[in-house]
Amino acid sequence: MQAEKLQIKLFATTHTVSLEAFVPVFHEWIRVNKLPELMIDVAPYDHVPHGPGILFVGHGSDYFIDEGKGRLGLLYSRKREAPAPGERLRDSLRRAVYVASQLEAEPSLAGHLKFATNELLLRVNDRLRLPSSPAAFEANKAELQAFFGDVLGTAVELSLVSEPRELFTVSVKLPPGAPSPSLAELLTRLGGPPTA
């Protein structure tokens, strides 16, 4: 995609921990350089109903334990230094899936948090390049179907779920009854953990 500021949200299917539980986890990840990218700070926004939850701040990307629209999930957001246009979508999903897998494996969260792979959101934080409109959706639909169908292993159902004044947001779903890949399988299809 030509737009640089892509966002991917993976929804949580199980979450029996409070938002505060993520704060020490992300601080520890900063201390031990857990991610292969520069992460800087953690900011709680848990006082905002249906808001950004917990913000894990990085140089090139941010991650949120997001409660937008009342659904908890991991939201990845590219801010700067995006890869080449042909790699942006894959890179964003790869980073989101990797961090989700690391959160599921985190000892203090293990058994309390699980992410779905049968549904996700793609959002573009760039209204100038990609406005939220049916025309923009149709112009990008084939590319998105090809990418997500290849990565998720079957044809996907796409729908534009944003209003004209919102960011371009597409819901990506597997058809009912289609097998969902595990996070590990998905990460392998995406090329493995990010390296930088």
Side-chain angles (χ1 to χ4, degrees), residues 12-98:
T13 57
T14 302
H15 51 93
T16 57
V17 291
S18 65
L19 286 175
E20 301 84 54
F22 292 92
V23 174
V25 170
F26 288 144
H27 277 300
E28 179 65 9
W29 286 15
I30 293 172
R31 192 184 72 77
V32 301
N33 295 316
K34 177 86 170 178
L35 301 186
E37 59 185 305
L38 178 61
M39 302 307 295
I40 301 166
D41 202 359
V42 183
Y45 289 92
D46 50 340
H47 58 284
V48 180
H50 295 176
I54 304 296
L55 168 59
F56 188 25
V57 183
H59 173 72
S61 307
D62 292 334
Y63 297 83
F64 301 80
I65 302 301
D66 178 69
E67 294 186 306
K69 308 249 182 204
R71 294 187 67 188
L72 188 81
L74 172 69
L75 176 66
Y76 167 80
S77 179
R78 169 65 74 173
K79 295 189 295 188
R80 61 177 67 89
E81 299 178 358
E87 290 299 315
R88 288 175 186 163
L89 199 50
R90 179 174 298 275
D91 179 74
S92 295
L93 183 57
R94 184 182 188 187
R95 290 178 190 279
V97 169
Y98 178 66

Side-chain angles (χ1 to χ4, degrees), residues 174-192:
L174 291 180
S180 303
S182 67
L183 288 176
E185 291 169 333
L186 198 48
L187 190 58
T188 298
R189 293 175 191 173
L190 290 163

Side-chain angles (χ1 to χ4, degrees), residues 48 52 57 78 105 109 121 135 162 170:
V48 180
V57 183
R78 169 65 74 173
L109 304 175
L121 283 183
S162 49
V170 172

